[in-house]
Amino acid sequence: MTPQTASAYARPAAPFRSARDTEYEVIARVTQRLAAAIPRREIDHPAFLEALFNNERLWSTLASDVAEPGNGLPQALRARLFYLYRFTVAHSEKLRAGSGAADVLIDINKAVLRGLRGEAAP
């Protein structure tokens, strides 16, 4: 066996990731960044605003996906996710105006993460 052949069979370059795994990873990353920015929002407001924007962008993408006619999720779940998108946008606007608690956005994201992992609500 040549060195090139041996390296080709050694192990894959990247492990297989399902769409669900990828969604989980993206939501977790955005949630971690937002959670880290919340306690520092007064001393590093631009970082907080960036984390808030990234969370809104995440939810905008999720809303676009659940609004697609070919989306395979049950209609009731799609409606709830779209409602959470609208809530997230409205609540983020309040946060930018200086009112409201940002932790609710973390709670929403964590609930979605639990759902992606098939865990029951606490």
Side-chain angles (χ1 to χ4, degrees):
M1 188 178 315
T2 68
Q4 291 87 1
T5 306
S7 67
Y9 286 105
R11 65 184 158 117
F16 174 76
R17 289 182 117 66
S18 70
R20 189 179 201 118
D21 290 338
T22 302
E23 274 183 330
Y24 187 94
E25 183 180 319
V26 170
I27 295 168
R29 191 173 339 116
V30 168
T31 303
Q32 289 168 349
R33 288 180 182 157
L34 184 58
I38 289 171
R40 299 180 45 78
R41 74 194 267 189
E42 298 300 323
I43 53 177
D44 193 358
H45 198 65
F48 173 71
L49 292 176
E50 181 180 3
L52 199 59
F53 170 76
N54 288 332
N55 191 59
E56 283 182 281
R57 191 169 62 183
L58 165 72
W59 276 98
S60 176
T61 302
L62 293 172
S64 294
D65 188 46
V66 299
E68 287 293 319
N71 186 291
L73 292 175
Q75 183 61 35
L77 178 57
R78 292 169 61 187
R80 285 192 297 266
L81 289 169
F82 196 83
Y83 167 78
L84 289 173
Y85 154 70
R86 292 181 63 195
F87 175 85
T88 297
V89 170
H91 196 72
S92 295
E93 189 64 33
K94 288 179 186 177
L95 292 169
R96 279 191 292 278
S99 66
D103 292 338
V104 69
L105 298 177
I106 301 297
D107 293 341
I108 290 169
N109 289 8
K110 285 183 176 180
V112 171
L113 291 171
R114 284 191 302 274
L116 285 170
R117 284 290 178 227
E119 298 173 12

